Amino acid sequence: MTRTLLSIGECMIELAPRSEDCLTMGFAGDTFNTAWYARRSLRPGDDIDIAYLSAVGDDTPSMRMTDFIRDAGIRPILRVRQGRSVGLYLISLNNGERSFSYWRDSSAARSLADDLEELPVKGQGDLVFISGITLAILPQAGRKRLYAALENARRNGVTVAFDPNLRPRLWSDTDEMRREIMRAASLADILLPSHEDEATHFGDRDPHATARRYLAACSAPGAMVVVKDGPGPVRIYAGGTHWDVPTVKSPHVEDTTAAGDSFNGRFLVGLMRGEPVAEAARAACQLAAQVIGKRGALVAVDGVS
Ligand code: ADP
């Protein structure tokens, strides 16, 4: 029976400099990147459907985004909001340094949970992925609806995976960010934090502290915490024990955008396929090492699976 990996969040238009006076238009966003790399990680015979839930407008960029998602082999589950549009970000280059400017305050994706009663997943074997950015863009009422839908899905046996992806600039205050992140963590079975962010915003002294805090918050008895740490080993905590998986040395680090997202996509597909956790993490590190060797969020990668 086909199982579903459903990612929920915001995909945006990406405008990146091609030359001095020319921009290239693409599409990206953390939860979408995760779905994209999950899709690239599928092997023939994997009976896994990768779906993306969000909201878009009714204009041409929204339609192009929908086509892009579908053409990538991802099933779009997109609410269409009349008169709205999608968010956008611009990458600027200044002496080789990249900086990002965002226009997303009124994007349609902020309304993705407005009418969300139930998630389009069935039960055991299906997985839902959200991130801290998914939470950050939603109004409080939307977050409540999303939490209720996640709780309901979990009661039916669906696995919930959560990457806190802390972005204080998207929150009105950091206390609210910390509170909502821990609330969502309490509903998750698989947590995928990055230690550096967690150290900055929660004051964790080391990856163990990050893992302990999330394990304490999880209500799921079989919860798993996977702490990413840039080039440092990935630390996996599950079933009362923990172990390290070394990352793969990248011959050349060009751009770390989507390192964590690609890791998440490959890791979650591995778990759904029934790979041992360490094997899934090793393959995820291999993919992330390729991704950081190239510029951009969605890069061509070889030999994923
Ligand atoms: P995020 O992108 O969410 O901040 P991290 O920076 O912790 O996440 O990186 C996620 C994963 O990407 C790491 O677990 C590792 O596998 C890979 N990675 C990131 N930076 C490097 C690096 N410099 N060398 C090798 N692998 C890296």
Side-chain angles (χ1 to χ4, degrees), residues 52-68:
Y52 192 64
L53 189 154
S54 189
V56 296
D58 56 354
D59 58 351
T60 304
S62 300
M63 282 185 264
R64 281 184 67 177
M65 180 183 286
T66 307
D67 290 344
F68 181 82

Side-chain angles (χ1 to χ4, degrees), residues 163 165 194 228-231 234 247-248 250 253 256 259-260 263 285 288-289 292:
D163 183 338
N165 237 337
S194 286
K228 294 164 279 175
D229 192 15
V234 173
T247 53
V248 174
S250 181
V253 180
T256 57
F263 179 97
C285 288
I292 63 177

